[in-house]
Amino acid sequence: MNSQAMNPNNVAKKSPSSRADRPLSFRVQDFEPPTNRAEEWRFTPLRQIRPFLDAPVAQVAHNCATEAHLSVSASGIDFETVARGDERLGTLQAPEDQLGALAWEAAPHAYVATIPAGMALEQEALIRVHGTGTEPLASLPVTAAEFLIAAGAESRGTVLLTHTGSARLTEGVEVSVGARAHLTVVSIQDWDIEAAHALSFRIRLGRDATLKFIVVSLGGSLVRATSSVDYAAPGGDVELLGAYFADAGQYLEHRLFVDHNQPQCRSHAVYKGALQGKGAHAVWVGDVLIRPEAEGIDTYELNRNLVLSDGPRVDSVPNLEIETGKIAGAGHASATGRFDDEQLFYLLSRGIPRREAQRLVVMGFFGELINQIGVASVQEKLLAHIEEALDRLGADTAEPDLNVVQRAEGDTAAATHAHAGADTEAGTDVAAGAEQRWHSSKFSADEIGRAAAANESDTADTAYTPAIGAAATRA
């Protein structure tokens, strides 16, 4: 491998003051031990990460060599198992944390998926990673895997990387997109609850290349995914999409770093997550660095979170570091909102059952992002998981006392008429007040409308108000 020659920054630097100086290395020993005082680890539950940090490289390599804990297979794409000395490996940036370096050092071989130059895949390619562990998570050994997904110049295709079963896995994935290639990569973390997964993506785009990169995290006790993007030449365009749903006790962390090191490039990131249950914790950190030479670039990042119950925690941190003013645009946004009683009342007062109302809010929240994914099998998987999670939420939550909601409106009788669907002046006043609050909230009636427009139930045909219908029409 030629990582030393092609990665001038592959020695970790200590105490960086800029993301440009972030630690990079292929060797575990070059990184300082993680602590919650360090920016890249300040949210991570180190107690849960400790088995990765304490595992010697040689022991992890031995666990991998037995091939008793992890199976890897692929279809629809040229797929090879190669020696670690293969010259195609290690030509992108080096790992940025100890877990990524552990995957690089410990994996006894690597898997290479290739779309040859000029080829267009006729159907989605699938790479399956399955953990075969049957013991409790505390007893699962640490394993490692290293992948390269390479799209040649002017190629086109979609690659799905799925993770299922039970394992304690640290995984590195290099993604190389050749000049004028158009690639979609989807990583789905659909582990059993007895799983812990550290995932390091290292991505580089060639001249005028486009990449749609999608991360969907649904299962596992702990998932920590870091994604780093840079550009080999001008004209690269990357769209970063993410969706996650954290249940009680789950920890899901997603960190992005986009290094705008070439002119006339673009990046756009949208991550959305929902959380429910005690101890559910989601972390999103989006870092964008615009270097002095990156003139004419355009970048934007957005993270939104919907909290469905008491008990979850959300940390959302967008960051921009701008070293030139000669850019087309740069921005970021972050919002976290709670599914509150007023939102619920707005739909209940239209005669919509409570569980259906919850489903509409959540589907409306995710709707636009799901449509952007553009891969039918992934969209269906995400929708099915959301439905299952909402069933659990509905089973654990008692039907609310409508009178409490009515008193909050200040007119119990009017609210009762509105809930019953009566077309009275008082009911109309309550509806108008609810509609006004919805349009001023973080999660607007437009989002509900998009969900309502897609709903095929009898309720959608009979119970939606003109306000929701108008929102659906506008959407």
Side-chain angles (χ1 to χ4, degrees), residues 52-68:
F52 291 103
L53 305 178
D54 293 343
V57 172
Q59 181 60 52
V60 179
H62 173 75
N63 296 341
C64 298
T66 63
E67 297 186 345

Side-chain angles (χ1 to χ4, degrees), residues 18-58:
S18 165
R19 287 293 281 160
D21 300 321
R22 71 196 190 284
L24 297 171
S25 181
F26 288 93
R27 301 189 305 172
V28 171
Q29 67 186 40
D30 289 336
F31 291 94
E32 294 182 330
T35 72
N36 288 130
R37 295 181 180 179
E39 169 58 33
E40 62 269 28
W41 298 103
R42 67 187 177 112
F43 300 114
T44 308
L46 295 182
R47 179 183 58 81
Q48 292 177 258
I49 288 288
R50 185 59 57 190
F52 291 103
L53 305 178
D54 293 343
V57 172

Side-chain angles (χ1 to χ4, degrees), residues 148-424:
L148 168 63
I149 300 172
E154 300 182 356
S155 64
R156 183 183 296 270
T158 297
V159 179
L160 274 61
L161 177 62
T162 66
H163 303 88
T164 57
S166 294
R168 190 188 298 277
L169 174 66
T170 178
E171 178 181 3
V173 182
E174 297 180 286
V175 180
S176 177
V177 190
R180 296 173 297 282
H182 302 280
L183 179 66
T184 297
V185 174
V186 185
S187 178
I188 305 175
Q189 288 64 249
D190 193 24
W191 297 103
D192 297 341
I193 194 60
E194 298 291 341
H197 188 197
L199 183 56
S200 170
F201 283 100
R202 308 189 298 280
I203 301 165
R204 179 165 294 160
L205 279 73
R207 182 178 296 275
D208 298 327
T210 63
L211 171 67
K212 180 182 284 188
F213 179 72
I214 303 160
V215 176
V216 178
S217 296
L218 305 174
S221 176
L222 176 146
V223 172
R224 185 178 193 266
T226 63
S227 305
S228 297
V229 180
D230 66 11
Y231 302 84
D237 188 331
V238 62
E239 188 173 7
L240 303 160
L241 303 177
Y244 47 92
F245 202 123
D247 267 317
Q250 277 188 291
Y251 178 83
L252 305 178
E253 179 174 353
H254 300 87
R255 287 180 172 264
L256 313 180
F257 175 54
V258 180
D259 186 350
H260 276 285
N261 58 339
Q262 295 285 341
Q264 306 299 324
C265 293
R266 176 184 177 274
S267 66
H268 190 274
V270 178
Y271 271 61
K272 288 189 175 185
L275 301 89
Q276 65 181 24
K278 184 177 180 180
H281 188 183
V283 173
W284 181 88
V285 179
D287 290 324
V288 176
L289 169 64
I290 304 172
R291 297 181 185 264
E293 60 269 27
E295 296 183 1
I297 68 94
D298 185 20
T299 182
Y300 187 78
E301 55 179 355
L302 168 69
N303 177 230
R304 297 185 72 183
N305 298 280
L306 179 62
V307 178
L308 300 175
S309 69
D310 294 332
R313 172 183 169 183
V314 178
D315 294 288
S316 179
V317 186
N319 298 303
L320 275 173
E321 188 176 351
I322 305 174
E323 298 180 346
T324 178
K326 298 179 181 180
I327 60 176
H332 59 65
S334 171
T336 297
R338 181 178 177 271
F339 189 159
D340 62 24
D341 291 337
E342 286 190 358
Q343 295 173 339
L344 187 60
F345 172 78
Y346 183 82
L347 295 175
L348 289 176
S349 66
R350 269 53 182 177
I352 301 173
R354 182 175 184 277
R355 187 170 297 186
E356 181 70 4
Q358 290 176 324
R359 192 185 74 85
L360 285 173
V361 170
V362 178
M363 291 303 183
F365 173 73
F366 279 110
E368 184 177 359
L369 176 65
I370 292 173
N371 290 335
Q372 285 181 271
I373 290 174
V375 181
S377 59
V378 178
Q379 293 174 197
E380 292 168 3
K381 181 69 180 177
L382 180 55
L383 287 170
H385 183 90
I386 293 171
E387 293 279 9
E388 293 172 4
L390 291 177
D391 284 343
R392 291 192 295 274
L393 177 67
D396 295 340
T397 308
E399 189 72 20
D401 179 2
L402 185 60
N403 287 327
V404 173
V405 182
Q406 292 161 356
R407 285 194 296 274
E409 291 300 315
D411 190 335
T412 301
T416 303
H417 285 300
H419 178 66
D423 187 14
T424 66

